[in-house]
Amino acid sequence: MTFTFFPYWWGAKPDWKDRALLDDVDDLFVHFLRAGAARVLVPVRPSYEQTVLHYIESGQLWIDGDPPPITSERYLPMLEELRAAENFPPAGGPVGDPWEVRVPTTLVHLRADNTLPK
């Protein structure tokens, strides 16, 4: 699933001031809070398009009644689906070299004496 947040002016005008002033330490959450609209893309497995459209339009699961049994051609176990994904490592090991991640924070001083833990 992917998503894009649109600025506060995509929302109702009376809410603009309130949305523009929302804040949080988590940058992604701030974008969510301030968004006037969002676009969400959810991947759908081929042959399930009509099923998903029916759910979106009606709120009811499955067009033809009960979900397919495990023996149905339309049922695919989760493990098989993961293995079918592109570049899935067969042994389940790491892919590529590790990288360093730095997470921004407003918590500059965590201790009163400004020392770091050892």
Side-chain angles (χ1 to χ4, degrees):
M1 180 176 82
T2 62
F3 54 87
T4 303
F5 298 124
F6 295 99
Y8 64 89
W9 60 81
W10 281 66
K13 193 168 187 175
D15 298 334
W16 284 8
K17 182 179 176 187
D18 295 332
R19 287 193 183 277
L21 299 175
L22 293 172
D23 199 16
D24 192 79
V25 295
D26 184 346
D27 191 46
L28 182 60
F29 188 54
V30 169
H31 282 89
F32 168 75
L33 291 174
R34 292 182 181 173
R39 176 185 303 155
V40 179
L41 298 175
V42 180
V44 176
R45 190 166 196 76
S47 80
Y48 281 87
E49 299 92 343
Q50 293 297 324
T51 304
V52 172
L53 286 173
H54 175 75
Y55 176 74
I56 290 171
E57 292 174 358
S58 68
Q60 301 293 321
L61 295 176
W62 301 100
I63 295 172
D64 300 321
D66 295 331
I70 293 176
T71 56
S72 169
E73 289 180 12
R74 294 186 70 183
Y75 180 86
L76 184 64
M78 181 64 74
L79 186 57
E80 285 183 31
E81 189 168 343
L82 289 173
R83 285 186 177 143
E86 284 186 346
N87 301 322
F88 186 82
V95 176
D97 296 328
W99 62 90
E100 183 178 322
V101 176
R102 294 184 183 193
V103 180
T105 179
T106 58
L107 303 173
V108 179
H109 300 288
L110 300 177
R111 295 178 174 208
D113 60 357
N114 294 331
T115 61
L116 294 174
K118 295 182 181 190

